[in-house]
């Protein structure tokens, strides 16, 4: 299905709004079309009429001017207002619907998509490209059709005045149509290249602004400026290519449409001199030439805008067409309230279809309420294991079950709503502390929210902030320390109150004082829950009911801390002693 045809799905609910706007627009353009005809009447029937006295001529002229003044200064302004208002209103409503649906689509896309696509490019398509498609509504569905109706009405009026002169006026029309078709075939591809290059600049800026502390700490300003200059230069090149082709189009089209006035002046002037045409008719024709060819020139401009809009549509629908790698099965049912039993049955996983296995034949069981730790060297597959439980990714082989339910057989929402996750780097949004905690349960009461903060050892530091719970934390929580961010993240998990808890190296990047506070709140959070811990510091998980040692994607050892320490040749024994020595 073509982009324009697909776009009409968003337009269809507003078809009557567009039809009303169209008729208002036609009325707006019809009003000026009376002017050349009035000029003809004034020249031929009033000024050039020898049968009228001066006073009669002044009287007739007065009434003509009065009627024109009423039309232009009383009738036309509200028509102009409603034309602009309704056109902008309907187009902005359509854009609202598109962005709403696109954001919903983005939330359904799996983490694999976000790991393979630059954030800036996704933002560019959602904001810039969607905004650019507005011109399809304003121009393609309104202005072009209004201009075409204007052209038809102008031709009909001109035919009524003089058929031969009208045919001479239309002499340039075939050349105009051929040139438009020729130039705009290539313009669409050039416009798409320009949009892609602009998205590249935005992606680069988005990444660098987020990582400005890295650029400054390594004094990379000059180096980064050179890289940005290349990206920006690429956009400039694509923009100039499009601009150059656009300029060719306007130069050729304006030259072609300039033929008609010259031909009309020559033919009409000849006939006026020979007495075959009145001066008023000639003046009216010159006025109608502008009204005929100005819309045609606007159509060229509209075609340029429309080409840009369609190119943006293509990019927008490319994003819409991204497939969901994680979605609910057709027969998926809601996961009942869980007790917390977690089973991995011979699970194998790889991130790419043709890539190597990240996990191979992982098999274990976790009883309800147990605390289980996953340890091992970095890159061994620990974080991958816990990301499979809430179905951030799907297994290649084997099964993951919660209370006996395969996670692929239940709805994603019901699964994830019963799992709480605290990560090493928790993202806070640039809202208030209150809003960030309430993400755990948006319907929670103020009292519940404060209790969750107290349980996470966060209430005291929050109350010391300038505006307490209403303090804005800045983008990604930049105004808070690492330990403070972590406690806010723990507070929202307390508020969620899930039966299954996942801690992914939640204390590994903190100082000792923060770690002690957070370790205390985590132990409180883990009480009476099935808890899975990915740990770097083995001293923090010695209390675990069972410990799994993951090495190169395989489960190599399992047992309690004491059991594993008894294996003097074991991986865990060596890791623990090395860390203890450190």
């Amino acid at each position: 299905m073509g982009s324009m045809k697909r776009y009409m799905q968003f337009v269809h609910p507003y078809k009557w709004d567009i039809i009303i706007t169209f008729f208002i627009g036609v009325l707006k353009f019809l009003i000026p079309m009376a002017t050349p005809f009035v000029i003809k009447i004034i020249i031929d029937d009033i000024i050039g009429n020898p049968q009228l006295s001066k006073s009669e001529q002044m009287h007739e002229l007065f009434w003509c001017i009065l009627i024109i003044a009423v039309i232009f200064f009383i009738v036309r302004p509200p028509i102009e207002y409603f034309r602009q208002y309704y056109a902008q209103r309907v187009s902005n409503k359509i854009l609202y619907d598109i962005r709403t649906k696109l954001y919903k689509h983005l939330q359904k896309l799996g983490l694999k998509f976000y790991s393979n696509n630059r954030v800036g490019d996704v933002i560019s398509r959602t904001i810039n490209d969607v905004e650019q498609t507005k011109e399809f509504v304003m121009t393609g569905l309104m202005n072009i059709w209004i201009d075409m109706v204007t052209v038809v009405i102008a031709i009909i009026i001109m035919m009524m005045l003089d058929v031969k002169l009208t045919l001479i006026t239309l002499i340039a029309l075939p050349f105009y149509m051929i040139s438009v078709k020729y130039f705009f075939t290539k313009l669409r591809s050039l416009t798409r290249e320009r949009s892609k290059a602009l998205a590249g600049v935005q992606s680069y800026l988005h990444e660098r602004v987020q990582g400005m502390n890295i650029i400054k700490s390594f004094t990379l300003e000059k180096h980064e400026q050179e890289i940005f200059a290349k990206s920006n230069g690429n956009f400039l090149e694509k923009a100039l290519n499009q601009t150059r082709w656009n300029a060719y189009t306007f130069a050729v089209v304006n030259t072609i449409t300039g033929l008609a006035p010259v031909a009309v002046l020559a033919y009409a002037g000849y006939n006026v001199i020979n007495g075959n045409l009145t001066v008023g008719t000639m003046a009216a024709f010159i006025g109608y030439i502008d009204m005929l060819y100005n819309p045609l020139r606007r159509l060229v401009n509209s075609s340029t805008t429309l080409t840009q809009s369609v190119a943006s549509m293509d990019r927008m629908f490319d994003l819409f067409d991204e497939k969901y790698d994680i979605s609910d099965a057709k027969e998926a049912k809601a996961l009942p309230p869980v007790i917390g039993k977690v089973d991995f049955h011979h699970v194998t996983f790889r991130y790419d279809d043709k890539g190597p296995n990240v996990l191979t034949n992982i098999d274990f069981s976790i009883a309800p309420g147990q605390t289980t730790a996953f340890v091992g060297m970095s890159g061994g597959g620990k974080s991958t294991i816990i990301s499979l439980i809430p179905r951030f990714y799907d297994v290649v082989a084997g099964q993951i079950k919660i209370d006996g339910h395969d996670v692929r057989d239940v709805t994603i929402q019901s699964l994830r709503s019963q799992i709480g996750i605290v990560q090493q780097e928790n993202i806070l949004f640039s809202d208030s502390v209150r809003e960030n905690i309430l993400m755990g349960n948006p319907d929670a009461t103020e009292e519940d929210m404060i209790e969750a903060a107290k349980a996470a050892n966060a209430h005291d530091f929050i109350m010391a902030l300038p505006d307490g719970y209403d303090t804005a934390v800045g983008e990604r929580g930049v105004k808070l320390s690492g330990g403070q961010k972590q406690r806010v993240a723990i507070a929202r998990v307390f508020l969620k109150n899930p039966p299954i808890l996942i801690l992914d190296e939640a204390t590994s990047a903190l100082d000792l004082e923060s770690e002690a506070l957070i370790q205390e709140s985590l132990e409180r959070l883990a009480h009476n829950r099935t808890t899975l811990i990915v740990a770097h510091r083995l001293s923090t998980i010695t209390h675990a009911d069972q410990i799994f040692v993951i090495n190169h994607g395989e489960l190599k050892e399992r047992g309690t801390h004491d059991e594993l320490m008894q294996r003097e040749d074991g991986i865990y024994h060596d890791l623990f002693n090395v860390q203890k020595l450190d």
Side-chain angles (χ1 to χ4, degrees), residues 200-236:
V201 174
Q202 290 176 318
S203 295
Y204 180 88
L205 278 174
H206 184 271
E207 290 176 351
R208 266 44 182 192
V209 168
Q210 283 191 320
M212 193 57 71
N213 59 328
I214 302 295
I215 293 171
K216 288 182 177 296
S217 64
F218 285 93
T219 62
L220 292 170
E221 288 89 345
K222 186 177 179 181
H223 174 71
E224 287 296 322
Q225 188 64 42
E226 291 172 357
I227 297 175
F228 178 73
K230 290 180 182 176
S231 179
N232 200 23
N234 179 53
F235 170 65
L236 175 62

Short mmCIF file of all heavy atoms in Angstrom, two decimals, residues 200-236:
data_model
loop_
_atom_site.label_atom_id
_atom_site.label_comp_id
_atom_site.label_asym_id
_atom_site.label_seq_id
_atom_site.Cartn_x
_atom_site.Cartn_y
_atom_site.Cartn_z
N GLY A 200 20.47 12.06 10.62
CA GLY A 200 21.82 11.73 11.04
C GLY A 200 22.42 12.80 11.93
O GLY A 200 23.05 12.51 12.95
N VAL A 201 22.21 14.05 11.57
CA VAL A 201 22.69 15.18 12.38
C VAL A 201 22.01 15.16 13.75
O VAL A 201 22.66 15.33 14.79
CB VAL A 201 22.42 16.53 11.66
CG1 VAL A 201 22.79 17.70 12.57
CG2 VAL A 201 23.22 16.61 10.37
N GLN A 202 20.70 14.94 13.76
CA GLN A 202 19.97 14.93 15.02
C GLN A 202 20.40 13.76 15.91
O GLN A 202 20.51 13.92 17.13
CB GLN A 202 18.47 14.87 14.75
CG GLN A 202 17.92 16.16 14.15
CD GLN A 202 16.47 16.06 13.79
OE1 GLN A 202 16.04 15.06 13.25
NE2 GLN A 202 15.72 17.11 14.04
N SER A 203 20.63 12.61 15.31
CA SER A 203 21.08 11.45 16.08
C SER A 203 22.43 11.72 16.73
O SER A 203 22.65 11.42 17.91
CB SER A 203 21.19 10.21 15.17
OG SER A 203 19.93 9.84 14.68
N TYR A 204 23.34 12.31 15.93
CA TYR A 204 24.67 12.63 16.44
C TYR A 204 24.57 13.60 17.62
O TYR A 204 25.18 13.40 18.67
CB TYR A 204 25.53 13.23 15.32
CG TYR A 204 26.93 13.57 15.75
CD1 TYR A 204 27.95 12.62 15.68
CD2 TYR A 204 27.23 14.84 16.26
CE1 TYR A 204 29.22 12.94 16.10
CE2 TYR A 204 28.51 15.15 16.67
CZ TYR A 204 29.50 14.20 16.59
OH TYR A 204 30.77 14.51 17.01
N LEU A 205 23.78 14.66 17.44
CA LEU A 205 23.63 15.66 18.50
C LEU A 205 23.03 15.06 19.76
O LEU A 205 23.46 15.35 20.88
CB LEU A 205 22.75 16.81 18.00
CG LEU A 205 23.44 17.88 17.14
CD1 LEU A 205 22.40 18.85 16.60
CD2 LEU A 205 24.49 18.62 17.93
N HIS A 206 22.02 14.21 19.58
CA HIS A 206 21.36 13.59 20.73
C HIS A 206 22.35 12.78 21.55
O HIS A 206 22.39 12.88 22.78
CB HIS A 206 20.21 12.70 20.24
CG HIS A 206 19.41 12.09 21.35
ND1 HIS A 206 19.74 10.88 21.91
CD2 HIS A 206 18.30 12.52 22.01
CE1 HIS A 206 18.87 10.59 22.86
NE2 HIS A 206 17.99 11.56 22.94
N GLU A 207 23.18 11.98 20.89
CA GLU A 207 24.15 11.15 21.58
C GLU A 207 25.21 12.01 22.27
O GLU A 207 25.59 11.76 23.42
CB GLU A 207 24.83 10.19 20.60
CG GLU A 207 23.91 9.10 20.08
CD GLU A 207 24.59 8.23 19.03
OE1 GLU A 207 25.70 8.60 18.59
OE2 GLU A 207 24.01 7.21 18.66
N ARG A 208 25.71 13.03 21.56
CA ARG A 208 26.81 13.84 22.11
C ARG A 208 26.34 14.73 23.25
O ARG A 208 27.09 14.95 24.20
CB ARG A 208 27.44 14.69 21.00
CG ARG A 208 28.66 14.07 20.33
CD ARG A 208 28.49 12.61 20.02
NE ARG A 208 29.67 12.01 19.41
CZ ARG A 208 29.70 10.82 18.84
NH1 ARG A 208 28.59 10.10 18.80
NH2 ARG A 208 30.81 10.34 18.32
N VAL A 209 25.13 15.26 23.15
CA VAL A 209 24.62 16.09 24.25
C VAL A 209 24.47 15.24 25.51
O VAL A 209 24.81 15.67 26.62
CB VAL A 209 23.27 16.74 23.87
CG1 VAL A 209 22.60 17.36 25.08
CG2 VAL A 209 23.51 17.82 22.82
N GLN A 210 23.99 14.00 25.34
CA GLN A 210 23.86 13.11 26.49
C GLN A 210 25.23 12.74 27.07
O GLN A 210 25.37 12.54 28.27
CB GLN A 210 23.13 11.83 26.09
CG GLN A 210 21.62 12.00 25.97
CD GLN A 210 20.91 10.68 25.85
OE1 GLN A 210 21.38 9.77 25.18
NE2 GLN A 210 19.76 10.56 26.48
N GLY A 211 26.25 12.66 26.21
CA GLY A 211 27.58 12.27 26.67
C GLY A 211 28.56 13.43 26.75
O GLY A 211 29.77 13.25 26.60
N MET A 212 28.05 14.65 27.00
CA MET A 212 28.91 15.84 27.02
C MET A 212 29.98 15.75 28.09
O MET A 212 31.09 16.28 27.93
CB MET A 212 28.06 17.09 27.22
CG MET A 212 28.78 18.40 26.96
SD MET A 212 29.50 18.51 25.29
CE MET A 212 28.02 18.69 24.28
N ASN A 213 29.68 15.08 29.21
CA ASN A 213 30.70 14.95 30.26
C ASN A 213 31.90 14.14 29.78
O ASN A 213 33.04 14.41 30.16
CB ASN A 213 30.08 14.32 31.51
CG ASN A 213 29.49 12.95 31.25
OD1 ASN A 213 29.02 12.68 30.15
ND2 ASN A 213 29.50 12.08 32.24
N ILE A 214 31.66 13.14 28.91
CA ILE A 214 32.77 12.34 28.35
C ILE A 214 33.62 13.21 27.43
O ILE A 214 34.86 13.19 27.49
CB ILE A 214 32.22 11.12 27.57
CG1 ILE A 214 31.37 10.24 28.49
CG2 ILE A 214 33.36 10.33 26.95
CD1 ILE A 214 32.15 9.61 29.62
N ILE A 215 32.95 13.99 26.57
CA ILE A 215 33.66 14.87 25.63
C ILE A 215 34.54 15.84 26.40
O ILE A 215 35.71 16.05 26.05
CB ILE A 215 32.66 15.62 24.74
CG1 ILE A 215 31.93 14.65 23.81
CG2 ILE A 215 33.36 16.71 23.92
CD1 ILE A 215 30.78 15.25 23.04
N LYS A 216 34.02 16.42 27.47
CA LYS A 216 34.78 17.41 28.23
C LYS A 216 35.91 16.76 29.02
O LYS A 216 37.02 17.29 29.09
CB LYS A 216 33.84 18.16 29.18
CG LYS A 216 32.90 19.13 28.46
CD LYS A 216 32.03 19.89 29.44
CE LYS A 216 31.16 20.89 28.70
NZ LYS A 216 31.94 21.94 28.02
N SER A 217 35.64 15.58 29.61
CA SER A 217 36.65 14.94 30.43
C SER A 217 37.85 14.47 29.61
O SER A 217 38.98 14.43 30.10
CB SER A 217 36.05 13.76 31.21
OG SER A 217 35.61 12.75 30.32
N PHE A 218 37.62 14.12 28.35
CA PHE A 218 38.72 13.70 27.47
C PHE A 218 39.20 14.82 26.55
O PHE A 218 39.95 14.58 25.62
CB PHE A 218 38.28 12.50 26.63
CG PHE A 218 38.24 11.20 27.39
CD1 PHE A 218 37.07 10.77 27.99
CD2 PHE A 218 39.38 10.42 27.55
CE1 PHE A 218 37.01 9.59 28.70
CE2 PHE A 218 39.34 9.24 28.26
CZ PHE A 218 38.16 8.81 28.84
N THR A 219 38.71 16.06 26.80
CA THR A 219 39.03 17.23 25.96
C THR A 219 38.92 16.91 24.47
O THR A 219 39.84 17.13 23.69
CB THR A 219 40.44 17.78 26.29
OG1 THR A 219 41.41 16.79 26.01
CG2 THR A 219 40.53 18.24 27.73
N LEU A 220 37.75 16.39 24.10
CA LEU A 220 37.52 15.97 22.72
C LEU A 220 36.77 17.02 21.90
O LEU A 220 36.28 16.72 20.81
CB LEU A 220 36.71 14.67 22.71
CG LEU A 220 37.42 13.42 23.24
CD1 LEU A 220 36.43 12.28 23.39
CD2 LEU A 220 38.55 13.01 22.30
N GLU A 221 36.66 18.26 22.42
CA GLU A 221 35.84 19.26 21.76
C GLU A 221 36.24 19.47 20.29
O GLU A 221 35.39 19.47 19.40
CB GLU A 221 35.92 20.61 22.50
CG GLU A 221 35.18 20.62 23.83
CD GLU A 221 36.07 20.18 25.00
OE1 GLU A 221 37.15 19.61 24.73
OE2 GLU A 221 35.68 20.40 26.14
N LYS A 222 37.53 19.62 20.05
CA LYS A 222 38.00 19.88 18.68
C LYS A 222 37.73 18.67 17.78
O LYS A 222 37.27 18.80 16.63
CB LYS A 222 39.48 20.22 18.68
CG LYS A 222 40.00 20.64 17.32
CD LYS A 222 41.47 21.04 17.38
CE LYS A 222 41.99 21.43 16.00
NZ LYS A 222 43.43 21.80 16.03
N HIS A 223 38.02 17.48 18.31
CA HIS A 223 37.81 16.24 17.55
C HIS A 223 36.33 16.06 17.22
O HIS A 223 35.97 15.74 16.07
CB HIS A 223 38.31 15.05 18.38
CG HIS A 223 38.01 13.71 17.78
ND1 HIS A 223 38.65 13.24 16.65
CD2 HIS A 223 37.11 12.75 18.14
CE1 HIS A 223 38.16 12.05 16.34
NE2 HIS A 223 37.24 11.73 17.23
N GLU A 224 35.47 16.29 18.21
CA GLU A 224 34.03 16.15 18.00
C GLU A 224 33.50 17.20 17.03
O GLU A 224 32.58 16.94 16.26
CB GLU A 224 33.29 16.26 19.34
CG GLU A 224 33.45 15.04 20.23
CD GLU A 224 32.84 13.79 19.61
OE1 GLU A 224 31.78 13.89 18.98
OE2 GLU A 224 33.44 12.71 19.73
N GLN A 225 34.09 18.41 17.07
CA GLN A 225 33.68 19.46 16.15
C GLN A 225 33.94 19.04 14.71
O GLN A 225 33.15 19.29 13.80
CB GLN A 225 34.43 20.76 16.47
CG GLN A 225 33.95 21.97 15.69
CD GLN A 225 32.52 22.35 16.02
OE1 GLN A 225 32.13 22.34 17.18
NE2 GLN A 225 31.73 22.68 15.01
N GLU A 226 35.08 18.37 14.50
CA GLU A 226 35.44 17.89 13.15
C GLU A 226 34.47 16.81 12.68
O GLU A 226 34.04 16.81 11.52
CB GLU A 226 36.87 17.36 13.15
CG GLU A 226 37.92 18.45 13.33
CD GLU A 226 39.32 17.87 13.53
OE1 GLU A 226 39.44 16.61 13.59
OE2 GLU A 226 40.28 18.65 13.65
N ILE A 227 34.10 15.90 13.60
CA ILE A 227 33.16 14.83 13.23
C ILE A 227 31.78 15.42 12.93
O ILE A 227 31.12 15.05 11.95
CB ILE A 227 33.05 13.78 14.36
CG1 ILE A 227 34.41 13.10 14.56
CG2 ILE A 227 31.99 12.74 14.03
CD1 ILE A 227 34.43 12.13 15.73
N PHE A 228 31.36 16.39 13.78
CA PHE A 228 30.07 17.02 13.55
C PHE A 228 30.05 17.78 12.23
O PHE A 228 29.04 17.80 11.52
CB PHE A 228 29.73 17.98 14.69
CG PHE A 228 28.42 18.70 14.50
CD1 PHE A 228 27.22 18.02 14.65
CD2 PHE A 228 28.39 20.04 14.14
CE1 PHE A 228 26.00 18.67 14.46
CE2 PHE A 228 27.18 20.69 13.95
CZ PHE A 228 25.99 20.00 14.11
N ALA A 229 31.19 18.40 11.90
CA ALA A 229 31.28 19.14 10.64
C ALA A 229 31.05 18.21 9.45
O ALA A 229 30.42 18.61 8.45
CB ALA A 229 32.64 19.83 10.52
N LYS A 230 31.52 16.96 9.54
CA LYS A 230 31.30 15.99 8.46
C LYS A 230 29.82 15.64 8.35
O LYS A 230 29.26 15.60 7.25
CB LYS A 230 32.12 14.73 8.70
CG LYS A 230 33.63 14.92 8.54
CD LYS A 230 34.37 13.62 8.80
CE LYS A 230 35.89 13.83 8.68
NZ LYS A 230 36.63 12.59 9.03
N SER A 231 29.20 15.36 9.50
CA SER A 231 27.77 15.01 9.50
C SER A 231 26.93 16.18 9.02
O SER A 231 26.03 16.02 8.19
CB SER A 231 27.35 14.59 10.91
OG SER A 231 25.99 14.25 10.94
N ASN A 232 27.24 17.35 9.52
CA ASN A 232 26.52 18.56 9.13
C ASN A 232 26.78 18.89 7.66
O ASN A 232 25.89 19.35 6.94
CB ASN A 232 26.96 19.72 10.02
CG ASN A 232 25.96 20.86 10.02
OD1 ASN A 232 24.78 20.67 9.73
ND2 ASN A 232 26.43 22.05 10.33
N GLY A 233 28.03 18.64 7.21
CA GLY A 233 28.37 18.88 5.80
C GLY A 233 27.63 17.95 4.87
O GLY A 233 27.23 18.34 3.76
N ASN A 234 27.42 16.70 5.30
CA ASN A 234 26.65 15.74 4.51
C ASN A 234 25.21 16.21 4.34
O ASN A 234 24.64 16.15 3.25
CB ASN A 234 26.67 14.37 5.18
CG ASN A 234 25.87 13.33 4.42
OD1 ASN A 234 26.06 13.12 3.22
ND2 ASN A 234 24.93 12.69 5.10
N PHE A 235 24.64 16.74 5.44
CA PHE A 235 23.29 17.29 5.35
C PHE A 235 23.25 18.50 4.42
O PHE A 235 22.32 18.64 3.62
CB PHE A 235 22.79 17.69 6.75
CG PHE A 235 21.51 18.48 6.71
CD1 PHE A 235 20.34 17.92 6.25
CD2 PHE A 235 21.50 19.81 7.12
CE1 PHE A 235 19.15 18.65 6.21
CE2 PHE A 235 20.33 20.55 7.06
CZ PHE A 235 19.16 19.97 6.61
N LEU A 236 24.27 19.35 4.52
CA LEU A 236 24.33 20.54 3.65
C LEU A 236 24.36 20.13 2.19
O LEU A 236 23.65 20.70 1.34
CB LEU A 236 25.56 21.38 3.99
CG LEU A 236 25.82 22.60 3.09
CD1 LEU A 236 24.67 23.59 3.18
CD2 LEU A 236 27.14 23.26 3.46
#
